[in-house]
């Protein structure tokens, strides 16, 4: 974790003020009593006292200002860290600086999302408009992650990855991702209408064990890896347009709280034939089912 360092201007200002204060003190102590201006001894004592008080007052003000700048720098560093890393990971780095941060998590749900045919879409929009559109969409996803208690891991272009159930365990991790995925499609529709484009969003969700940790020393990041991550990525890439493709493990953990349709056994690269499902929405209530 990077060290907390104050603004270089703070140190320079403090050194200058201290040097000025020291010079004033030396002048008051040595030069005035040595007879530059014949003066009453009592006046000299008062002059020295006032000079000393002035020096210490200026030094105190400079130190106070310096500490204020340091606190502001630390607050900015803290905010940046918490935008990059989960809060609990930041605390671990503070308590154990220099130590590797890594852990296994037996029960999480991983979500991947991507915009189909993003390159042609970005060409039609142009650079500035594409960045504006992506910023609007990803900012919406960030708000949804905070709303549903999901940890955003990273965004690469139009691809996003988020995990529920880490670094703090959550018994309802699959349901959190299901709710977020449904809201992500609504967010994509709103963004598409705002920018006058068609956004085809594909989402894949898988549940199971993962490993997670802080990668790198300078431009570091909190990353997640394992078979569950790979499966979620494969589910996203084989997802139907504007669908939510989930694994059998996700279906089992949702426990009837959501409506799903089976896609049967499909070929997943590196995994062979596995049974998957499409998440449709919340399960109908008893009254809706009867109607």
């Amino acid at each position: 974790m990077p060290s907390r360092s104050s603004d270089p201007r703070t140190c320079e200002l403090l050194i200058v003020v201290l040097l000025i204060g020291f010079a004033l003190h030396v002048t008051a102590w040595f030069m005035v009593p040595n007879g530059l201006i014949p003066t009453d001894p009592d006046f000299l004592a008062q002059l020295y006292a006032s000079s000393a008080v002035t020096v210490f007052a200026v030094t105190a003000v400079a130190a106070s200002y310096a500490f204020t700048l340091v606190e502001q720098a630390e607050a900015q560093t803290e905010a940046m860290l918490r935008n990059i890393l989960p809060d609990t990971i930041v605390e671990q780095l503070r308590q154990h600086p220099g130590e590797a941060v890594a852990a296994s998590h037996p029960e999480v749900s991983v979500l991947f999302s991507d915009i189909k045919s993003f390159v042609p879409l970005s060409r039609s929009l142009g650079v500035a408009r594409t960045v504006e559109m992506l910023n609007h969409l990803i900012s919406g996803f960030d708000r949804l992650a905070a709303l549903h208690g999901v940890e955003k891991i990273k965004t690469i272009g139009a691809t996003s990855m988020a995990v529920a159930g880490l670094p703090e365990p959550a018994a309802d991790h699959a349901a959190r991702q299901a709710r977020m995925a449904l809201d992500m499609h609504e967010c994509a529709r709103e963004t598409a209408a705002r920018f006058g484009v068609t956004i085809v969003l594909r989402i894949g969700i898988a549940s199971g064990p993962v490993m997670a940790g802080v990668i790198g020393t300078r431009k570091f990041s909190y990353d997640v890896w394992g078979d569950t991550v790979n499966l979620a990525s494969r589910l996203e890439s084989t997802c139907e347009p504007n669908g939510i493709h989930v694994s059998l493990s996700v279906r089992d953990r949702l426990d009837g709280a959501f409506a799903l349709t089976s896609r049967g056994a499909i070929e997943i690269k590196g995994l062979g034939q596995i049974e998957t499902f499409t998440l449709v929405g919340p399960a109908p209530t008893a009254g809706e089912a009867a109607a």
Side-chain angles (χ1 to χ4, degrees):
M1 177 180 178
S3 60
R4 292 181 173 182
S5 58
S6 60
D7 190 321
R9 293 173 301 176
T10 303
C11 297
E12 294 172 1
L13 178 61
L14 189 56
I15 291 171
V16 169
V17 172
L18 289 175
L19 289 175
I20 293 173
F22 181 74
L24 289 173
H25 181 80
V26 170
T27 300
W29 180 256
F30 290 103
M31 296 184 68
V32 174
N34 285 342
L36 290 179
I37 303 175
T39 313
D40 182 74
D42 290 338
F43 175 74
L44 291 177
Q46 293 175 4
L47 180 61
Y48 170 73
S50 63
S51 299
V53 169
T54 300
V55 168
F56 287 117
V58 170
T59 303
V61 170
S64 175
Y65 179 66
F67 285 129
T68 299
L69 289 179
V70 170
E71 289 176 356
Q72 291 175 350
E74 289 183 347
Q76 291 172 354
T77 301
E78 182 83 7
M80 291 177 63
L81 279 174
R82 294 186 185 278
N83 277 335
I84 298 171
L85 305 173
D87 290 347
T88 55
I89 301 302
V90 172
E91 295 306 320
Q92 282 183 253
L93 289 170
R94 292 204 187 289
Q95 294 171 11
H96 307 286
E99 293 185 10
V101 176
S104 296
H105 302 272
E107 272 292 321
V108 305
S109 287
V110 181
L111 179 151
F112 272 90
S113 68
D114 189 35
I115 297 176
K116 184 181 178 183
S117 302
F118 175 69
V119 173
L121 174 61
S122 64
R123 287 194 189 125
S124 68
L125 286 173
V127 176
R129 193 74 169 156
T130 297
V131 171
E132 185 182 359
M133 184 270 292
L134 271 180
N135 184 60
H136 185 273
L137 181 65
I138 300 304
S139 295
F141 290 173
D142 290 348
R143 288 190 294 271
L144 291 176
L147 174 66
H148 293 293
V150 173
E151 193 67 45
K152 173 186 174 179
I153 302 300
K154 58 187 173 184
T155 298
I156 302 175
T159 301
S160 294
M161 176 186 177
V163 182
L166 65 71
E168 298 298 330
D172 62 340
H173 54 83
R176 293 186 186 194
Q177 291 287 37
R179 289 190 292 268
M180 177 168 170
L182 292 168
D183 286 347
M184 287 172 72
H185 276 299
E186 182 58 37
C187 181
R189 285 190 287 269
E190 188 273 328
T191 300
R194 178 188 178 97
F195 288 86
V197 296
T198 299
I199 295 178
V200 179
L201 188 67
R202 301 181 302 190
I203 298 176
I205 307 175
S207 296
V210 299
M211 292 173 283
V214 176
I215 307 298
T217 55
R218 297 189 63 181
K219 294 185 177 180
F220 51 84
S221 65
Y222 183 67
D223 208 353
V224 181
W225 59 93
D227 290 339
T228 304
V229 176
N230 295 335
L231 176 56
S233 177
R234 299 284 190 271
L235 290 170
E236 177 273 310
S237 63
T238 54
C239 181
E240 296 173 332
N242 292 320
I244 303 172
H245 198 190
V246 306
S247 65
L248 176 61
S249 59
V250 172
R251 194 282 307 266
D252 292 342
R253 287 164 176 80
L254 292 177
D255 194 27
F258 293 81
L260 299 102
T261 59
S262 175
R263 290 189 61 184
I266 67 170
E267 183 71 24
I268 300 292
K269 182 179 178 181
L271 299 172
Q273 295 277 331
I274 65 171
E275 186 179 10
T276 64
F277 300 82
T278 296
L279 174 65
V280 178
T285 63
E288 291 171 339

